[in-house]
Amino acid sequence: MYSSATITMKAASSSTSLFFISKNPNFNSKTVPILNINKTHKPKSFSFFKSLKSIQSPKPASQNPNQSSFSCSAATLFPAETTDLLPCKLQRLITEFQSIPEPVDRVKRLLHYSALLPPLPESSRVDSNRVMGCTAQVWLEATLDEDNKMRFRADSDSEITKGFCYCLVSLFDGASPEEVVKVKTEDLAALNVGLVGGERSRVNTWQNVLISMQKRSKVLVAERQGNKLFEPFPSLVVTKDGIQAKGSYAEAQARYLFPDESKVGELVNVLKEKKIGIVAHFYMDPEVQGVLTAAQKHWPHIYISDSLVMADKAVKIAEAGCEFVTVLGVDFMSENVRAILDQAGFQDVGVYRMSDERIGCSLADAAATPAYMNYLEAASTCPPSLHVIYINTSLETKAFAHELVPTITCTSSNVVQTILQAFTQIPDLNLYYGPDSYMGANIAELFKQMAMMSDEEIAEIHPKHNRNSIRSLLPHLHYYQDGTCIVHDLFGHEVVEKINEMYCDAFLTAHLEVPGEMFSLAMEAKRRGMGVVGSTQNILDFIKQRVQEALNRDVNEHLQFVLGTETGMVTSIVAAVRSLLDSMTRTSTSSSPTIKSVQLGDFVLPVIPGVASGEGCSIHGGCASCPYMKMNSLTSLLKVAHSLPDRKNILKAYEADRFKSQTRQGKSVADVGCEPILHMRHFQANRELPEMLINQVLHSSSNGR
């Protein structure tokens, strides 16, 4: 799912608007929701120039403060050649700054240009003209003149950023929209100007202002041609006083943010009485998440997380004295919980699913096929070989795979580090990843990009790798070609085009399971500080961090996020933002208003539901969501809880049974299948593969398995 929200934060009051992308009837695609965040405080004067005490800005040249725009010929950067093509102007600008060897002198040049930038009137310094992703406040005004040429004006509260704005306006003012859109962000990468240690944020400013120029050019052209880019989004406006919903889809979301207190009380009472704990995945049914979030305040043994830590939380629940653990997720999750509890010595703790039917997973199903086993059979003939399997697979699959090729599980948050570490510990390793084909392709593409990075940049990702080692591992990295998540598969070409068209200036997040085009788009945003690619937890942490940074700056702020994963993730985003807003309100009222640091701490997950039917989004509903996850209903949860302990044996089909079957080598499926999980846990704790796994790889290399 893609979703968006706008968050407006004020010293005295706070509000959040959550917007969902609606489906354009003329655009046949699987569309997505979008998240915009606005922060508003009483404006405070801020100037990056003030920190540069040793650098003096030249006095502004005489200029008309009411001047609405200026052409390239009026800019001292390009005093002649008014007919220069934009690429020539850009190359001249790059050459100019590259000819200045000292960073402090490049900053002085920017300060000189900042003095030449005509100021925007206060009427133009509004949130609708803000440029997202810049450390300072930047305002950009764009118009399309009678000759179909773009006219730009810009301003900033930072002297250095004003210099950036002057250069970019000098480049693009008077250009055609086509010329503006044609320039790529990497074309500005050579404009690496700024203070030592701050180069990345400076490059981000160049690129983010460019992206904003391009978006506004597209919008103006569409308006002149009479084209409507998109229909209004449904939205949620979240304030400290409540939530306002606009559009029937948003109304459905808001309904579950304040769950039925009688249901909450019923659940809490039965959980306490029967000592039942709950582990639930982020993608749960909205009604369930709403009730669970409220119940957490009264019963601490309820955890909502990604699949990586569900089993860990189950162990915590058992250690706290709970006699039962209910698992709200798909079947491989309950299998993992059962196996890890057994390994931890809690065989007497009951584990229960939420349906008497199979709760499947398209990825788990892909790995449980003869084709996947054939893939591993081939891998076993190329020693030394290691199989890295996504945790979203059944225990039985893990067991059968481990007997064919030594196996370690991974998640989307640790898969890159797992692979990099494996290649450092096992010389001449052949590594096989599966079953998610998109993730495999994205990992391979990521390593190809790393191979073009500097050794220093690579060392920041993994200290024992460099450009040569990354290049050498590429031919030895293999991934399965026929496994996808049915939700992330929706984020294809048409969605990417729509994001490029309407949300190119937003923070872009993407799960590692999305198709390649979406992955590349998010990686490009990541390179300019405007995106993240990773797990659901990585996405959530990124959004929280950006909101926290906005709160810590005492300036007006406008943030927009595009969320690239299942619809259930919007829940945790709204929860985190509301918690931040509440913390800001408490800090402002109980302490000094000048205190900016707000600690988020643990957060809860209220509900923003997706609609179980339909692909894509409209103002009336139908967001991409996992139908398997939605099989975990509140009714089932209450039924299981009330029926425990199961003396009448009515929950037999709900129980997460231990595997009593055996592998081809006559070993317990539960024991063998749990071993790759334990290998991963060792890696998480020690940042290296366990010696047992290394020996298994080398042993299979010499004797076969």
Side-chain angles (χ1 to χ4, degrees), residues 285 288 328 354 629-638:
D285 177 88
V288 175
L328 281 72
M354 290 298 106
M629 287 289 190
K630 302 308 182 274
M631 292 173 67
N632 295 267
S633 68
L634 181 60
T635 300
S636 292
L637 175 59
L638 289 171

Side-chain angles (χ1 to χ4, degrees), residues 421-489:
Q421 182 61 30
F423 277 108
T424 66
Q425 290 185 246
I426 307 174
D428 303 319
L429 177 67
N430 287 303
L431 192 142
Y432 295 81
Y433 168 81
D436 193 313
S437 301
Y438 287 140
M439 188 184 292
N442 292 340
I443 293 167
E445 176 61 28
L446 177 62
F447 288 152
K448 288 178 183 177
Q449 294 183 22
M450 284 181 63
M452 295 183 288
M453 295 165 58
S454 68
D455 288 347
E456 292 76 16
E457 290 172 324
I458 294 172
E460 290 181 7
I461 300 172
H462 194 287
K464 294 186 178 180
H465 277 284
N466 54 40
R467 188 182 300 179
N468 288 335
S469 68
I470 297 298
R471 288 174 177 172
S472 66
L473 71 80
L474 283 171
H476 298 275
L477 175 64
H478 314 274
Y479 61 90
Y480 187 58
Q481 302 285 331
D482 196 23
T484 61
C485 166
I486 59 174
V487 174
H488 292 109
D489 191 41

